[in-house]
Every structure is written in structure tokens, then in C-alpha cells.
């Protein structure tokens, strides 16, 4: 009945699985028939503190009872606190603009870069270089920033000018021209196939751009908020970008996006805005998520989960040489490269039948983004289900 309702009244933009989830406890989801699923997806990297997290739920409820929203025309105490917390945890002297999604955070980053290019140079610099297989969002501008031809559908044209794509980090240097203002990259390409870049290459690029006075924008919408093992993948790569964008894991499921930058003087009142961005509810959620994950990291529990997850990946990967060709990723952002797309589809379906949720990335990567708070038992159980699934298709 709800399936028909969905099909009649919700616009058809997703190939939806019609399972009806009713409840979640950490990394376990329950459907309307009481069946349980181990969640290695966390809602595409969003439910960072797990489902049904009591601390997050209490913080949201308490905030909702007091104030959900005023507007950005007034002080929003939790927004100021969250911005300071982002600066503290990242170790960067940066200020933040709050939006509601990853695409919107990237839009903000592009606007900062363009204004920087206008203000700081004699000639107008506005071009932004991104990478092939990147993903930066679904708005007209961020989809154009996304370096995947299949996303640039002609029906939605014309797209904004000023974006070009490089095959890898090495070729970026030659693509920079007199109108280039920024390079925008993910440090681990998520949607593109869970592909991390080489630390040295990234450090050299960061240094080069800094020397030229050009901007490095790091899209941490997927890699940020401890997904890589450090607070930001930027911290792991030991670079200091000009602009960093965040979203997915930051609100634990409450929509929030953020653009952080050390160029605090670029935006002035009127340059940018958002009705909802960083309101009482989402900012309060962000603070609680960061508090939870900060203590999780400091207690060593996060690193234990990483190690356990990685051990499992290593053994399973070796066990199925006919299915997998490579295992990729870092932290709790992981992938198995499958031999081809058909095998990947079969593997995801087989996992689902065994009660394990996994994702697809790129053409042939089985992607795993479990909640960062996933328990030892859930990791064990999830991989046991994966082995059962893979045994059936190998
Ligand atoms: C998901 C994602 C986005 C888009 O985020 P939305 O919240 O869906 O707009 C942008 N960049 C990266 C790296 C992402 O993974």
C-alpha cells in the first residue's frame, strides 16, 4: 500500500528498494516484518553515531522543546558553538557558513572561491579544476563540478561555465591557466569508487597551489567527521586547505552542511545566505554528534572498530578471488572492487537476502560506510552474513 502511495505521489528519481524500515539500534535496522539487517551503509555515510542513538535523540528533543528555528538574522548560540567546535577539532583557524546539504556546502565553497578570485587578483580568476570520477552534488552547478560525463545530461543544460576535469592529480599542474582560481578534490573519492589519493601527491599539490596563491577546496562531505579515522581526511593527509566542505555525517541524520574557510574576510553580509542553514535544531544535533564521536575517538573505541573491520576485509577479500580484484579505502570508508558490474549487482543482492546492507560506488565497487559506532558483534555478524552471501554466488 505504501509502495503504491510512494509510486503515485513521490517523484520517480530513485531506484528504490521497497523494504519498510521501522526502527534502528546502532548498526542494526528492523523492517515492518521484524526482520533485522546489519547496516554497512549508515544511510550513505550519514548516521555516523548509529540509529536510535539516545544521546543524539535526547539532545534533539530537548532543543526542539525550547527552539527549533528563529533565523540567521539573530544569534544562534548552538551555531556559534558548533562553528568553534569544527575549528577546534580540525586544528584550523577557520570560520564556517552553515548550509543544509553537501551540494549546498559546495555551492558556498565555489562562491567563496569565485569572490576570492575577483578580489585578490588584477584579472578575473573564476575557473575551478576538479577530477574525473569525482562527485560534488546534484544542483546545476555542483553537478557540473562533478567530473563524470554521465551526470552532465544535456536535458538540463546550459550549465555554468568555469569547470574542467583532470584525469589525475599529476595532470592538474598543466591545466591551470591564468583564469584558474581553485582546485576542488575529494581526498578519497567516495561515489567514484572509494579511491584514496596518494598523500605525497596531495601534499605537493597543496604546496604548489599555496605558492601560486590559488585555492585548494577539499570536499569532505563523505570523508569528514572521523570517517577516515581522523576528524578530517585533511588531518590524515596533513594538509591545510583554503576551504573544506562537510555534510553527511555531521548531523547524524539531521540535514546540515558546512563550508569552513581560513579566508574569513571574503564574504560580507548579503553575499550568501540560507533560511534553514545552521538553525537551532541542526546545529544542536551537530554539536552532540561531534561530542559523541570525539569521546569515541579519544577512548580508542573508534580505532578498535577500524582494526576489526580491516582484519575482516583482508580475510574475506582473499577468500573470493573470483569475485573481487582489489580492496580499497581507509577508515570506515571501504570498498571491494568487483571483477565486473554484474558480479557487483549479484553480490549486493545476495548480501541483502542474508540481511546485510551494502552500497555500490562507481561501476564495480561494493562500498561499505557503517556507522562509526558499530559494535564488535555487529561487525562480526555483518561479515558472517557477507560470507554466506558470497558463498552462494561464487
Ligand atoms: C554526497 C556527496 C555530496 C552531495 O551531498 P548532498 O548532501 O547529497 O547534496 C557532495 N560531495 C561528496 C563528496 C559527497 O559524497
Amino acid at each position: 500500500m505504501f509502495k503504491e502511495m510512494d509510486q503515485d505521489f513521490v517523484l520517480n528519481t530513485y531506484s528504490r528498494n521497497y523494504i519498510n524500515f521501522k526502527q534502528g539500534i546502532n548498526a542494526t535496522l528492523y523492517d515492518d516484518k521484524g526482520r533485522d539487517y546489519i547496516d554497512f551503509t549508515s544511510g550513505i555515510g550519514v548516521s555516523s553515531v548509529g540509529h536510535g542513538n539516545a544521546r543524539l535523540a535526547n539532545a534533539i528533543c530537548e532543543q526542539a522543546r525550547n527552539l527549533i528555528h528563529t533565523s540567521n538574522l539573530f544569534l544562534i548560540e548552538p551555531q556559534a558553538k558548533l562553528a568553534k567546535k569544527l575549528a577546534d577539532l580540525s586544528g584550523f583557524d577557520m570560520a564556517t557558513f552553515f548550509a543544509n546539504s553537501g551540494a549546498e556546502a559546495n555551492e558556498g565553497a565555489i562562491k567563496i572561491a569565485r569572490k576570492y578570485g575577483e578580489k585578490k587578483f588584477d584579472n578575473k580568476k573564476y575557473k575551478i579544476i576538479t577530477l574525473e570520477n569525482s562527485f560534488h552534488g546534484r544542483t546545476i552547478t555542483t553537478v557540473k563540478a562533478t567530473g563524470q560525463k554521465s551526470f552532465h545530461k544535456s536535458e538540463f543544460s546550459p550549465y555554468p561555465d568555469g569547470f574542467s576535469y583532470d584525469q589525475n592529480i599529476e595532470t592538474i599542474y598543466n591545466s591551470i591557466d591564468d583564469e584558474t582560481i581553485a582546485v576542488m578534490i575529494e581526498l578519497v573519492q567516495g561515489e567514484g569508487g572509494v579511491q584514496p589519493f596518494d598523500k605525497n601527491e596531495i601534499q605537493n599539490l597543496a604546496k604548489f597551489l599555496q605558492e601560486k596563491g590559488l585555492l585548494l577546496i577539499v570536499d569532505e562531505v563523505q570523508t569528514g567527521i572521523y570517517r577516515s579515522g581522523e576528524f578530517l581526511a585533511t588531518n590524515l593527509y596533513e594538509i591545510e586547505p583554503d576551504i573544506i566542505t562537510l555534510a553527511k555525517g555531521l548531523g547524524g541524520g539531521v540535514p546540515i552542511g558546512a563550508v569552513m574557510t581560513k579566508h574569513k574576510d571574503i564574504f560580507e553580509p548579503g553575499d550568501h545566505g540560507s533560511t534553514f542553514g545552521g538553525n537551532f535544531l541542526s546545529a544542536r544535533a551537530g554539536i552532540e554528534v561531534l561530542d559523541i564521536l570525539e569521546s569515541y575517538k579519544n577512548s580508542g573505541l573508534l580505532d578498535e572498530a577500524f582494526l576489526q573491520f580491516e582484519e575482516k576485509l583482508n580475510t574475506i577479500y582473499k577468500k573470493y578471488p573470483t569475485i573481487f580484484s582489489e580492496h580499497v579505502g581507509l577508515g570506515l570508508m571501504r570498498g571491494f572492487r568487483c571483477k565486473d558490474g554484474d558480479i557487483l549487482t549479484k553480490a549486493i543482492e545476495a548480501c541483502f537476502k542474508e540481511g546485510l546492507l551494502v552500497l555500490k560506488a562507481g561501476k564495480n565497487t561494493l562500498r561499505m560506510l557503517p556507522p562509526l559506532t558499530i559494535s564488535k558483534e555487529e561487525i562480526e555478524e555483518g561479515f558472517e552474513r557477507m560470507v554466506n552471501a558470497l558463498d552462494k554466488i561464487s
Side-chain angles (χ1 to χ4, degrees):
M1 164 196 161
F2 292 114
K3 177 176 177 180
E4 286 71 38
M5 198 184 282
D6 178 272
Q7 287 172 337
D8 285 346
F9 296 106
V10 178
L11 281 177
N12 184 25
T13 61
Y14 304 102
S15 349
R16 219 167 233 159
N17 175 332
Y18 277 95
I19 184 157
N20 188 356
F21 291 119
K22 289 292 191 182
Q23 201 200 354
I25 301 172
N26 203 6
T28 309
L29 283 165
Y30 299 88
D31 71 8
D32 56 353
K33 297 180 185 71
R35 219 187 137 194
D36 60 88
Y37 296 79
I38 301 294
D39 182 10
F40 278 6
T41 74
S42 62
I44 321 192
V46 167
S47 309
S48 49
V49 295
H51 302 285
N53 186 296
R55 273 185 65 180
L56 178 59
N58 288 338
I60 292 171
C61 289
E62 190 187 287
Q63 186 60 58
R65 277 191 213 100
N66 291 328
L67 263 180
I68 292 177
H69 183 92
T70 52
S71 81
N72 275 305
L73 300 177
F74 301 103
L75 174 69
I76 301 169
E77 203 179 289
Q79 187 182 116
K81 282 189 192 157
L82 179 58
K84 176 165 191 303
K85 185 122 191 125
L86 289 173
D88 288 347
L89 289 174
S90 68
F92 302 135
D93 180 18
M94 290 188 176
T96 297
F97 173 86
F98 288 99
N100 312 283
S101 68
E104 242 189 295
N106 286 335
E107 290 269 347
I110 292 164
K111 281 178 76 173
I112 294 170
R114 285 197 175 176
K115 187 161 180 204
Y116 188 94
E118 185 78 37
K119 237 177 117 161
K120 303 273 179 178
F121 299 91
D122 296 334
N123 73 313
K124 184 178 173 70
K125 290 189 196 285
Y126 67 98
K127 291 181 183 167
I128 295 175
I129 295 172
T130 70
L131 285 172
E132 284 179 15
N133 293 319
S134 60
F135 183 80
H136 298 297
R138 293 292 206 150
T139 61
I140 291 274
T141 301
T142 56
V143 90
K144 183 65 176 168
T146 293
Q148 302 188 52
K149 284 246 159 57
S150 58
F151 280 89
H152 306 157
K153 294 188 176 183
S154 62
E155 325 63 298
F156 303 123
S157 67
Y159 292 97
D161 287 337
F163 295 95
S164 66
Y165 321 101
D166 268 276
Q167 216 171 7
N168 51 53
I169 305 283
E170 278 308 300
T171 63
I172 289 177
Y173 297 95
N174 281 329
S175 306
I176 292 173
D177 68 24
D178 200 38
E179 293 176 321
T180 303
I181 185 57
V183 172
M184 176 154 91
I185 50 170
E186 298 154 270
L187 296 176
V188 184
Q189 288 186 332
E191 305 300 314
V194 200
Q195 187 59 54
F197 288 103
D198 179 73
K199 187 169 171 176
N200 266 326
E201 274 188 59
I202 295 287
Q203 289 184 338
N204 290 338
L205 176 69
K207 197 162 154 244
F208 176 85
L209 292 172
Q210 193 169 25
E211 280 163 11
K212 295 275 181 249
L214 304 178
L215 304 180
L216 177 62
I217 305 170
V218 177
D219 178 344
E220 292 236 34
V221 168
Q222 193 160 149
T223 54
I225 321 296
Y226 295 103
R227 181 61 59 189
S228 71
E230 296 301 324
F231 176 58
L232 301 176
T234 298
N235 300 132
L236 186 69
Y237 278 71
E238 297 177 285
I239 52 168
E240 185 172 347
D242 296 275
I243 303 171
I244 298 166
T245 57
L246 297 168
K248 290 193 166 85
L250 178 56
V254 179
I256 185 167
V259 199
M260 305 171 66
T261 182
K262 56 182 170 189
H263 303 291
K264 300 183 180 182
D265 62 332
I266 298 299
F267 274 167
E268 24 189 340
D271 278 343
H272 198 38
S274 163
T275 298
F276 295 121
N279 77 6
F280 281 87
L281 189 74
S282 63
R284 183 67 189 85
I287 293 169
E288 199 63 26
V289 165
L290 295 184
D291 282 348
I292 294 167
L293 292 178
E294 184 186 12
S295 49
Y296 213 71
K297 167 82 180 167
N298 291 341
S299 68
L301 284 169
L302 188 61
D303 293 327
E304 276 176 32
F306 286 144
L307 283 176
Q308 191 195 351
F309 211 84
E310 184 158 79
E311 256 169 46
K312 290 282 168 194
L313 290 171
N314 280 326
T315 41
I316 290 185
Y317 161 71
K318 279 188 209 123
K319 208 170 160 220
Y320 300 99
T322 57
I323 302 178
F324 303 130
S325 59
E326 208 184 342
H327 86 83
V328 287
L330 43 79
L332 282 181
M333 183 173 180
R334 297 285 184 162
F336 285 133
R337 207 81 84 212
C338 297
K339 296 273 175 179
D340 62 49
D342 286 341
I343 293 179
L344 170 63
T345 308
K346 273 193 206 139
I348 293 176
E349 255 165 44
C351 286
F352 181 71
K353 280 197 191 125
E354 294 296 323
L356 172 68
L357 306 178
V358 293
L359 291 160
K360 178 186 174 181
K363 285 189 190 71
N364 58 351
T365 306
L366 185 152
R367 178 171 45 155
M368 291 156 274
L369 295 169
L372 302 173
T373 53
I374 188 169
S375 69
K376 287 195 168 62
E377 295 73 29
E378 286 169 324
I379 294 176
E380 284 293 328
E381 178 66 24
F383 281 112
E384 208 171 298
R385 292 180 187 194
M386 184 181 285
V387 166
N388 291 340
L390 296 174
D391 280 345
K392 291 198 172 121
I393 61 164
S394 66

